Amino acid sequence: MYYYYNMSSNKEKIYTFVKNQILINGYPPTVREICDEIGLKSTSSAQYHLKLLEEEGRLNKTKSKSRTLNIGSDHNNNFSVPLLGEISAGDPLIAEELNIGSISIPDTYQTKNDIFALKISGDSMVDAGIYDKDTVVIEKTKDIRNNDIVAALVNNESTIKHYRIIDGKSFLVPSNKNYKTKRLDESCEIVGKVICLFRDM
């Protein structure tokens, strides 16, 4: 079974984590567990996002129980995106677009841009929560912001890294100290950004 992880806002990350934990364990995480998972230092920040999710009807509370969060009404429909092979989270991997199937993702991710999925190969992004064999969903776009996780071609070989601006220069930065940062130059082309990932549980 696949569970998806939103790569955007803290609110969406919290919703995805709570939803997945309820599906996996049968009960929701504590506020402290949410903070540890998302990387929030303050429980008040987590509670603020939880309140927004309650107001949207996506989470609700059962006052008679100690772990009170439940999944609310989720009106999202799904749509299919093509699974086009592998991308490296390590050393660049030769890029081959092979349509090997499709996966279904929530329609909240639909945009005017092309969206596709790739299997992760390697461990250079483990500190960002992206592991070998995960499936990342990529929006093909040039609208890239500092610290986005991007899919890029380096000498026509594919890789996935953080996009970061350091001292006015652009770099591809791994989330694993065993890998090197690469400065963006004419050999590099950013294809798009990671918007969510799926993990086979």
Side-chain angles (χ1 to χ4, degrees), residues 1-200:
M1 180 180 292
Y2 273 117
Y3 292 97
Y4 80 91
Y5 296 76
N6 195 304
M7 304 298 289
S8 55
S9 69
N10 283 335
K11 184 184 75 171
E12 295 302 324
K13 290 178 182 177
I14 288 171
Y15 174 71
T16 301
F17 178 60
V18 171
K19 183 176 181 178
N20 288 348
Q21 288 298 296
I22 291 173
L23 290 171
I24 295 167
N25 299 322
Y27 54 84
T30 64
V31 173
R32 176 49 59 192
E33 288 169 341
I34 291 171
C35 289
D36 290 343
E37 174 68 19
I38 307 303
L40 298 175
K41 295 181 180 179
S42 169
T43 57
S44 62
S45 295
Q47 289 167 339
Y48 168 76
H49 292 300
L50 289 169
K51 184 178 179 182
L52 292 178
L53 289 165
E54 289 174 44
E55 291 173 353
E56 293 172 4
R58 299 166 71 190
L59 295 177
N60 56 54
K61 287 186 176 181
T62 304
K63 294 182 180 179
S64 60
K65 297 181 179 180
S66 58
R67 294 202 180 205
T68 60
L69 289 175
N70 289 293
I71 300 171
S73 298
D74 189 345
H75 301 294
N76 294 335
N77 295 313
N78 291 342
F79 69 104
S80 292
V81 299
L83 181 60
L84 299 182
E86 288 189 340
I87 189 168
S88 176
D91 296 322
L93 179 77
I94 294 175
E96 294 184 11
E97 285 196 7
L98 302 174
N99 195 329
I100 59 176
S102 64
I103 62 171
S104 181
I105 69 173
D107 66 359
T108 52
Y109 292 107
Q110 280 190 319
T111 73
K112 63 182 180 181
N113 299 320
D114 291 337
I115 296 175
F116 58 93
L118 293 166
K119 276 280 189 184
I120 290 293
S121 174
D123 62 356
S124 73
M125 295 298 289
V126 291
D127 292 339
I130 301 176
Y131 298 94
D132 187 50
K133 308 301 184 186
D134 282 350
T135 299
V136 290
V137 178
I138 296 165
E139 178 187 358
K140 195 171 183 178
T141 179
K142 298 298 183 183
D143 181 19
I144 304 299
R145 300 181 182 182
N146 190 43
N147 210 40
D148 279 348
I149 298 174
V150 300
L153 295 176
V154 180
N155 292 319
N156 292 318
E157 296 184 340
S158 62
T159 190
I160 182 171
K161 297 289 185 289
H162 280 288
Y163 169 78
R164 290 204 179 126
I165 299 172
I166 304 171
D167 295 331
K169 300 177 178 65
S170 299
F171 293 85
L172 295 174
V173 182
S175 284
N176 182 331
K177 64 182 181 181
N178 296 319
Y179 292 85
K180 294 181 179 179
T181 293
K182 177 173 178 56
R183 183 176 173 182
L184 280 173
D185 56 27
E186 63 277 0
S187 70
C188 305
E189 177 189 358
I190 293 178
V191 176
K193 63 183 177 182
V194 175
I195 55 175
C196 67
L197 71 83
F198 285 73
R199 184 166 300 144
D200 190 352

